[in-house]
Amino acid sequence: MSLFTHVLACLFGTGSWVSINGMWVELPLIVPEIPEGWYLPSYLSVIIQMANIGPLFVTLMHRFRPGVLNEVAVIYFIISLGTLASFLLAFFWKVTLNVAGFPHSVPLLLLTFFLSLVDCTSSVTFLPFMMRLKPQYLTSYFIGEGLSGLIPAVVALIQGVGILHCSNHTVMANETLDNSTTMYKFEAQYLPANFSTHTFFLFLSTMMVVCLLAFLFLNLHPAVRQQHETDRHHGRMGEGEKGTLVLKQHRQPEEKPMISPFNGNNKKTCSFFRTGTYGWIEVLFIFSVLGWTNALTNTVLPSVQSYSCMPYGNNAYHWSVTMAAVANPLACLIAVFYPKRSLKLMGFLTLLGTGIGAYIMGMAVLSPCPLFIQNHTGAVFIVGAWFFFVLTLSYVKVIIGIILRDEGHSALVWCGAVVQLGSILGAFAMFPIVSVYRLFTSGDPCNTVCSK
């Protein structure tokens, strides 16, 4: 194994979702400067789901026209597109255009769509590309994917995004002949950032350039190509009859659909994967867990994170965001030393993570008066809940990725498709609840309205 290849795989993974993650953490600095204001997150949710046209196209091409789509060329294209879109955002994110008589941040929304297209499509292209490398490097890729959320969050903390202080503000003054009454209320005031949004977007563009360079080395560097499993997965053994035989033996399964209705050796067992290790019930369980965990971690719980944390104060919110970002790569590191593929363990961790997620959702529903709001216990619980929620379900997702890695290129393509499907269903479920009917109430970090 090559440390150089591990580092490249990690850097390659950082480009998977860094652009959209960066956009979310930068929102407190963006929304005061644009006409959409705090309606921007709702726009972003819709735009991200529209961008799923990318993975849908790749999945359908792989299913109905296998071998036609050049996977490497697609990756080059989407990384270059993400780099260009991030660079242009640095200069045009504040530009507005009149649409139907009202100002709108058209360049921001359009470039965000391209960033979403890049990140969504990475789910069905980056993972299958990792099939070219030995299985050990897949975990390094997942670590990089986790860092794609952690790095922008840390940079945003250094930037000072969302740091506020509470100051007295006069809300009412009554004067009579005998006396006068003045009422005060604490008002949250955000402090200036240490560097501009322009600089932050240039940083995101630089990270995409690093991802592009890492992919170039993974694809072309001679030392890295020695780590490719071309013999096993692509049949490129050289010339002559031996190479032709291997080509036929190993390419043929990938030209067929991943799902085969029956196993020829045992009619009672359905074999969905090429190894025949898992029956159809187990495969259904694996993909159901994959879709469920991604729905929870990518859209359902993140859509209520501010509601679950802000009643406990601004520090609790920022610590929950940071610790959740730390938990993702930490889960990948745990999978390096403990790659347990037990479906029973996977089911237990999924139930555990879902239970923790239910606690987080409960605190969001109770906002602005969740449990333990009058002391520091509540803040500790909510930060710990976010950490262990992401840690357990991220470990489940990594283990599923490792399982599907051994089942071939098609399995990883479908893995990416199910990841996006789970995210879409979660977004469709939460968008009307949060943004249309507005069933959640935000907490005020400076004013506690709950009685003891």
Side-chain angles (χ1 to χ4, degrees), residues 40-58:
L40 180 61
S42 297
Y43 284 92
L44 292 183
S45 299
V46 175
I47 288 172
I48 292 172
Q49 303 318 313
M50 290 172 57
N52 278 293
I53 188 175
L56 176 62
F57 172 76
V58 173

Side-chain angles (χ1 to χ4, degrees), residues 3-216:
L3 177 62
F4 178 60
T5 307
H6 276 294
V7 173
L8 290 177
C10 183
L11 293 176
F12 177 51
T14 59
S16 57
W17 283 93
V18 68
S19 300
I20 292 302
N21 287 332
M23 177 67 71
W24 282 109
V25 299
E26 195 71 3
L27 284 180
L29 294 183
I30 294 176
V31 293
E33 305 290 337
I34 61 174
E36 288 79 9
W38 278 107
Y39 287 104
L40 180 61
S42 297
Y43 284 92
L44 292 183
S45 299
V46 175
I47 288 172
I48 292 172
Q49 303 318 313
M50 290 172 57
N52 278 293
I53 188 175
L56 176 62
F57 172 76
V58 173
T59 304
L60 292 177
M61 286 293 292
H62 177 78
R63 174 64 180 84
F64 296 105
R65 299 293 300 276
V68 173
L69 201 63
N70 190 322
E71 188 175 77
V72 173
V74 172
I75 295 176
Y76 277 126
F77 173 75
I78 64 174
I79 298 178
S80 300
L81 180 63
T83 303
L84 179 61
S86 299
F87 181 78
L88 292 177
L89 265 178
F91 300 94
F92 297 104
W93 69 273
K94 291 176 65 175
V95 176
T96 59
L97 298 174
N98 284 328
V99 178
F102 297 95
H104 288 283
S105 305
V106 175
L108 173 65
L109 299 176
L110 184 61
L111 291 171
T112 300
F113 171 77
F114 288 125
L115 291 179
S116 303
L117 185 67
V118 170
D119 292 355
C120 292
T121 309
S122 71
S123 297
V124 294
T125 53
F126 285 18
L127 269 177
F129 172 79
M130 293 303 297
M131 276 290 298
R132 298 168 181 258
L133 301 176
K134 296 178 180 178
Q136 295 86 345
Y137 298 112
L138 183 63
T139 306
S140 297
Y141 168 82
F142 279 122
I143 293 174
E145 193 174 75
L147 291 175
S148 71
L150 176 60
I151 293 175
V154 171
V155 173
L157 286 177
I158 297 173
Q159 186 184 13
V161 172
I163 296 179
L164 56 80
H165 75 278
C166 301
S167 59
N168 281 330
H169 176 65
T170 303
V171 294
M172 183 173 62
N174 292 327
E175 294 185 4
T176 64
L177 294 175
D178 299 327
N179 56 20
S180 62
T181 303
T182 302
M183 296 183 63
Y184 296 95
K185 182 181 179 181
F186 285 107
E187 186 179 63
Q189 294 183 345
Y190 288 92
L191 301 179
N194 295 322
F195 54 87
S196 66
T197 301
H198 168 84
T199 304
F200 183 82
F201 282 132
L202 289 179
F203 167 76
L204 293 183
S205 180
T206 302
M207 286 199 65
M208 292 302 297
V209 171
V210 171
C211 173
L212 179 60
L213 293 175
F215 179 66
L216 281 170

